[in-house]
Amino acid sequence: MAKEKRTHEERTTDPAAQEMLYRADELGLSTAFTRVDELVPCNIGGAGMCCKLCGMGPCRLTKDGMTGICGATIDTIQARNFIRAIAAGSAAHSDHGRDMAFTLKAVANHQAEGYSIKDVAKLRMIASYYDIPIEGRSPEEIANDLADLYIAQFGQQKGELAPARRAPAKRQALWRDLGVMPRGIDREVVEALHRTHIGDDQDPVHILQHAVRTALSDGWGGSMIATDISDILFGTPAPILGQANLGVLRDDMVNVIVHGHEPTLSQMIVAASQDPEIIEYARSAGANGVNLSGICCTANEILMRQGIPAAGNFLHQELAILTGAVEAMVVDVQCIMQALTDLATNFHTKIITTSPKVRIKGALHIEFDEHKALTIAKEILRTAIDNYKNRGETHIPRVKENLVPGFSHEYINYMLGGSYRASFRPLNDAIMAGRIRGVAAIVGCNNPRSKQDYLHTYVSQELLKQDVLLVETGCGAIASAKLGLLLGEAGLDKVGPGLREVCEAIGIPPILHMGSCVDNTRILTVLTQMVEEGGLGDDIDQIPAVGLAPEWMSEKALSIGVYCMGSGVYVIFGGASPISGMPDRVSDSDLILRYISEGWEKLYGGKMEFVADPDEMVRRTLAHIDKKRAALGLPEYDPNRFGRSGDRRMLELESLPLPERVKALYGVAAD
Ligand code: SF4
Ligand code: MSK
């Protein structure tokens, strides 16, 4: 039975997306927004109660006491399903990190056309974490050693993952104690798959212990490596003005959208699009140049470094093609819908796959090779320009918002402390004083099963009112960008008084855009530096902080959630849990769900919960923040104590007659 159909206004909060969904109706075309209403999810598989790990199954456990043919119980099956998703997520992030490490190696050896080391200071800082000699050595020599060390992390068989030493000392000791310190990135992923083969690890708690180790090898391994190297090669992000939403597409230019995750090719396409030879080629085709934009995390990568506009987040990929104005959508890895090629047959758009790992039937394949990246980037742009003449009717929604992305942890550190002494001290002090109640990271995807961007932006806005400073990444950050929440001081009237005071004093937006999904490791670094700064306990689990993924859909999101949990963070996922069980039908089928909350909290101080209702997400976030504040002995949060300083205070003072102003400022009567 098909589900009840929703209106387009119920499918997305974004006016540009609504407009394009009506356009799809006019053209008789489907998108994920509408297909999701045609597909009824399997409630048994959806609850994690189905096993298809061997040819004796699939085994669907629907009654009390039932086991699979091999005797597997429901909690074992759920734990196995869960760890397999985490292994896939960790593999995806980490393989991205591996490619970055090989690119760094090629750059260090002058074998990567068009690339250079852009952030030598960061290279030296990262190298020093691993005792790689830096004095008197060229950037390339240091980069070569760092690349070797990073490449070795993937195949390392014994010992401890090197970047894990960047976690707080107490957390590292806990990981050793609990037997979850990652040994090598590939090893943990392979072992997760081995353990879940028929007839292997059948103790759910033991399986979930390894799920944490596998996820930690992503967060403190593959993803951290990816972020480090992206900054070294393409520059550590700093605030820059950008724009977001489909209105960034241009009628008069060749529109090229880069979509996926790895910045290696997209950065080179940025460079090639500004090449006079390419601009001239576009002009000769009758266009005013090449207009580059991004979708998903590739968008975040080039948005926060070069200010290249973001055409949208995950659910915008089909909508962009529906505009009829896109000459080429260039994709690499992850979050690319197979539906793109079929949809593109209705328009002139070329879908160009570029990764040796990803082919899609119906797409043009131009394989990326970092050794001749600039040449390939130009070839891709020429292909797009040649396609401009085939453009038919276009329909570009005139909807876009400005934003300021680019808050890397280095920049946050710098802006808090100024150029003389970069420091997290002011942030810690603001939390300790109660100006900032706590910190929340709102990350993750879009999911057509919920109203696009609604959960992200609702939860964000509610937390801002409660003086919670937000950091955002991935498609969640683009959701806030589209709503205009990432804009300097523009949204400060919607922010609690203490947080507003801090934002006004420092000159930052209340939501800090920190990058793509691999860049969630920047959040780990911020939390670690807050611990090291002092005053908020001696480990991450003591900081009044929460992580949320309100509209998650990818296995990578699950891996991120578990590595944050293992690092001590309370993590809340929206939507449905993949291991919810059906306790009304099969008692104790929610055992694993309870274990990853209560059980993990006892071990790690962090926990993971799935909460569908956004108000409940907000309530639990604030309750956790307040619980952590109380445990640290910090004053109870009281919004009435703040909000009368900064720009707001100055405006108030300026409106007073001079004598009263002097009295208010200096406490003395003016003559
Ligand atoms: Fe069924 Fe066991 Fe095979 Fe899973 S591993 S499909 S529970 S027999
Ligand atoms: S792209 S993983 S939909 S955040 Fe990173 Fe967005 Fe989620 Fe993909």
Side-chain angles (χ1 to χ4, degrees):
M1 190 181 70
K3 286 195 304 181
E4 201 180 316
K5 288 203 171 47
R6 298 171 296 167
T7 65
H8 294 328
E9 289 72 20
E10 288 167 332
R11 291 182 166 119
T12 173
T13 51
D14 180 344
Q18 289 168 5
E19 186 177 329
M20 293 318 296
L21 290 178
Y22 283 109
R23 177 70 179 150
D25 290 346
E26 269 169 39
L27 299 172
L29 299 171
S30 80
T31 65
F33 289 92
T34 49
R35 287 190 297 273
V36 73
D37 289 345
E38 308 295 332
L39 273 170
V40 181
C42 165
N43 58 351
I44 298 162
M49 294 158 59
C50 172
C51 180
K52 52 187 176 65
L53 288 184
C54 87
M56 293 187 278
C59 299
R60 305 189 326 153
L61 273 50
T62 53
K63 293 195 187 82
D64 265 350
M66 252 181 108
T67 66
I69 293 167
C70 67
T73 53
I74 198 156
D75 46 359
T76 297
I77 288 173
Q78 287 178 324
R80 291 196 304 211
N81 287 335
F82 197 50
I83 194 177
R84 282 210 159 203
I86 288 159
S90 177
H93 277 152
S94 300
D95 212 29
H96 168 171
R98 183 201 321 270
D99 286 345
M100 297 303 302
F102 278 109
T103 304
L104 183 66
K105 178 83 181 167
V107 174
N109 291 282
H110 307 285
Q111 292 165 351
E113 180 199 54
Y115 296 109
S116 60
I117 295 167
K118 288 253 167 45
D119 192 338
V120 176
K122 177 140 189 180
L123 169 70
R124 290 166 68 91
M125 186 183 72
I126 300 283
S128 65
Y129 289 148
Y130 307 116
D131 304 321
I132 293 172
I134 53 175
E135 291 315 322
R137 303 183 80 204
S138 71
E140 285 72 21
E141 286 171 315
I142 301 169
N144 188 56
D145 285 0
L146 181 63
D148 285 343
L149 183 137
Y150 273 172
I151 290 166
Q153 300 309 303
F154 294 91
Q156 185 168 288
Q157 303 302 319
K158 291 181 180 164
E160 298 183 353
L161 210 59
R165 76 180 65 159
R166 287 153 68 175
K170 194 172 170 194
R171 184 74 12 194
Q172 293 179 47
L174 179 73
W175 291 339
R176 284 181 203 111
D177 260 15
L178 296 174
V180 296
M181 175 63 90
R183 297 156 294 185
I185 298 163
D186 294 355
R187 174 163 189 183
E188 308 312 352
V189 173
V190 168
E191 190 170 315
L193 295 178
H194 178 190
R195 285 191 191 209
T196 50
H197 184 271
I198 163 80
D200 275 304
D201 199 356
Q202 337 239 348
D203 174 346
V205 168
H206 194 235
I207 293 169
L208 291 174
Q209 176 201 29
H210 188 66
V212 177
R213 179 155 52 175
T214 306
L216 289 175
S217 78
D218 170 1
W220 295 89
S223 282
M224 194 166 273
I225 289 171
T227 297
D228 284 351
I229 298 176
S230 298
D231 286 355
I232 290 168
L233 291 181
F234 309 123
T236 301
I240 187 168
L241 185 64
Q243 291 188 318
N245 218 335
L246 291 167
V248 305
L249 297 174
R250 294 275 300 262
D251 265 320
D252 61 336
M253 295 176 88
V254 175
N255 290 305
V256 176
I257 293 183
V258 286
H259 168 26
H261 281 78
E262 294 182 347
T264 34
L265 174 61
S266 54
Q267 289 289 336
M268 215 40 77
I269 292 182
V270 173
S273 71
Q274 291 154 4
D275 188 304
E277 174 199 326
I278 291 292
I279 294 170
E280 191 42 48
Y281 192 62
R283 293 226 167 94
S284 70
N288 276 334
V290 174
N291 178 44
L292 197 60
S293 60
I295 293 255
C296 273
C297 282
T298 298
N300 286 316
E301 297 279 358
I302 54 177
L303 174 67
M304 64 182 174
R305 292 200 174 87
Q306 283 91 10
I308 302 291
N313 42 7
F314 176 66
L315 282 177
H316 269 41
Q317 55 189 292
E318 291 177 286
L319 308 183
I321 292 175
L322 279 160
T323 64
V326 178
E327 275 58 53
M329 184 175 279
V330 186
V331 303
D332 51 32
V333 293
Q334 302 163 23
C335 303
I336 301 144
M337 291 191 196
Q338 189 173 350
L340 293 182
T341 48
D342 193 37
L343 182 65
T345 59
N346 298 284
F347 304 91
H348 73 308
T349 307
K350 284 190 189 302
I351 307 296
I352 303 177
T353 51
T354 57
S355 166
K357 295 165 205 160
V358 174
R359 297 265 178 136
I360 305 175
K361 212 168 138 200
L364 172 68
H365 189 73
I366 302 180
E367 193 150 309
F368 175 65
D369 175 354
E370 70 265 27
H371 300 99
K372 41 185 180 146
L374 192 58
T375 305
I376 294 167
K378 286 184 183 173
E379 182 190 343
I380 288 171
L381 290 184
R382 279 198 201 92
T383 306
I385 294 166
D386 290 343
N387 196 24
Y388 184 62
K389 61 178 179 299
N390 299 321
R391 190 190 276 189
E393 191 189 344
T394 63
H395 185 117
I396 302 173
R398 305 293 164 201
V399 180
K400 60 182 174 184
E401 273 290 348
N402 289 333
L403 74 145
V404 178
F407 290 89
S408 55
H409 48 271
E410 286 86 351
Y411 189 82
I412 295 176
N413 200 344
Y414 160 76
M415 86 197 174
L416 288 170
S419 46
Y420 295 108
R421 188 181 173 270
S423 162
F424 274 84
R425 191 71 254 153
L427 177 60
N428 284 21
D429 285 345
I431 293 173
M432 290 164 71
R435 272 191 183 80
I436 294 178
R437 186 170 184 173
V439 180
I442 304 191
V443 308
C445 325
N446 282 147
N447 187 328
R449 292 200 185 283
S450 61
K451 187 175 181 177
Q452 185 197 18
D453 297 346
Y454 171 72
L455 294 175
H456 279 301
T457 52
Y458 178 81
V459 171
S460 296
Q461 291 176 100
E462 289 305 305
L463 291 176
L464 289 179
K465 286 182 207 160
Q466 299 293 329
D467 288 304
V468 176
L469 176 69
L470 301 183
V471 293
E472 298 195 345
T473 62
C475 292
I478 299 177
S480 289
K482 288 191 288 173
L483 202 72
L485 294 173
L486 303 187
L487 236 202
E489 297 173 1
L492 288 186
D493 53 328
K494 303 181 192 102
V495 169
L499 177 60
R500 185 172 59 219
E501 210 174 85
V502 174
C503 291
E504 284 173 347
I506 303 174
I508 53 166
I511 303 182
L512 304 177
H513 178 299
M514 291 193 81
S516 62
C517 26
V518 293
D519 291 334
N520 285 311
T521 63
R522 296 189 199 277
I523 298 170
L524 298 179
T525 305
V526 166
L527 292 170
T528 302
Q529 292 185 351
M530 286 169 75
V531 168
E532 284 164 359
E533 190 58 48
L536 294 175
D538 58 0
D539 197 357
I540 292 173
D541 64 328
Q542 294 168 49
I543 298 177
V546 176
L548 299 107
E551 298 178 29
W552 78 278
M553 65 86 202
S554 76
E555 292 167 313
K556 291 182 296 170
L558 293 174
S559 181
I560 293 166
V562 174
Y563 75 61
C564 287
M565 184 294 302
S567 304
V569 179
Y570 174 24
V571 177
I572 300 174
F573 272 49
S577 158
I579 48 165
S580 63
M582 289 191 273
D584 52 330
R585 197 159 144 188
V586 185
S587 51
D588 275 355
S589 62
D590 60 348
L591 216 62
I592 295 301
L593 201 62
R594 282 187 272 137
Y595 178 73
I596 65 171
S597 171
E598 294 148 28
W600 272 353
E601 188 172 30
K602 282 189 199 117
L603 296 174
Y604 299 98
K607 57 181 173 174
M608 189 167 181
E609 291 175 348
F610 291 82
V611 181
D613 174 34
D615 287 315
E616 182 61 14
M617 284 185 217
V618 172
R619 193 195 66 74
R620 290 194 200 185
T621 300
L622 296 175
H624 184 80
I625 284 173
D626 290 345
K627 183 174 95 178
K628 294 293 169 184
R629 292 188 64 85
L632 287 166
L634 300 180
E636 211 173 302
Y637 165 72
D638 174 8
N640 298 319
R641 291 174 54 217
F642 301 105
R644 287 174 49 77
S645 66
D647 290 355
R648 198 177 159 76
R649 178 67 174 144
M650 291 317 292
L651 286 173
E652 273 175 27
L653 290 171
E654 272 171 25
S655 67
L656 296 175
L658 186 64
E660 285 175 43
R661 201 185 317 163
V662 172
K663 179 131 196 297
L665 275 170
Y666 304 109
V668 292
D671 292 330

